[in-house]
Amino acid sequence: MKALIVYYSMSENTDFVAKEIAKKLDAELLRLEPEKQYPDSGFKKYFWGGKSAVMGEKPKLKPYIFESDKYNTLIFGTPIWASNIAPPLRTFICENKGKLSRKTFALFMCSSGGGTRKASDKLKNLLQT
């Protein structure tokens, strides 16, 4: 069985890391994309992204294929927004709750500030509920 890296990237940092990990582990990639893109510059980037993360929003995603039976390990990749995982990753987890049992999980996060402990704890809680 293979590993799948499920990730969201706005500024391409998380995308870069996901691709590097995929090369090392011979893993497949699933890049999540919201139907409505977040603003990617200036004040709006931080305001809308941070608000969405803090409020626990689950944006609608562009269609994706997730064949859970093919993978025993899922590696989640996310930027940290206001000490939270990016909302598209939250959407994916909530949409696929039933398919995530008996999987091994790993996580990588990209951040230019703090909040990694809080974000990883929130992801852990989301996976357990």
Side-chain angles (χ1 to χ4, degrees), residues 3 10 16 20 22 24 26-27 30 35-36 39-41 44-45 79-80 85 93 96 100 105 109 118 123-124 127:
M10 176 188 283
F16 174 80
E20 290 298 308
K24 299 287 185 196
D26 190 31
L30 173 56
E35 281 192 352
K36 183 178 179 189
D40 60 359
S41 63
K44 286 183 179 182
K45 172 182 177 179
I80 296 178
I85 61 171
I93 291 168
N96 293 286
L100 301 179
F105 301 109
M109 298 178 283
K118 286 182 182 178
L123 176 62
K124 182 179 177 183
L127 288 167

Side-chain angles (χ1 to χ4, degrees), residues 36-110:
K36 183 178 179 189
Q37 296 296 321
Y38 292 97
D40 60 359
S41 63
F43 174 75
K44 286 183 179 182
K45 172 182 177 179
Y46 298 100
F47 178 78
W48 288 110
K51 176 198 76 72
S52 184
V54 168
M55 299 303 289
E57 293 178 1
K58 295 182 275 264
K60 186 169 174 104
L61 300 176
K62 290 183 180 178
Y64 59 86
I65 297 172
F66 173 51
E67 298 175 78
S68 64
D69 295 342
K70 288 175 56 177
Y71 310 102
N72 59 349
T73 301
L74 296 178
I75 303 168
F76 296 119
T78 182
I80 296 178
W81 290 1
S83 298
N84 284 279
I85 61 171
L89 186 56
R90 180 179 293 109
T91 301
F92 174 85
I93 291 168
C94 291
E95 287 179 350
N96 293 286
K97 246 339 179 196
K99 298 178 182 178
L100 301 179
S101 64
R102 290 179 266 145
K103 303 286 184 200
T104 300
F105 301 109
L107 169 66
F108 71 92
M109 298 178 283
C110 297

Side-chain angles (χ1 to χ4, degrees), residues 5-9 14-15 18-19 29-32 77-78 108:
I5 301 171
V6 180
Y7 70 101
Y8 171 74
S9 185
T14 308
D15 182 65
K19 288 176 179 173
L29 295 166
L30 173 56
R31 182 174 182 160
L32 304 172
T78 182
F108 71 92

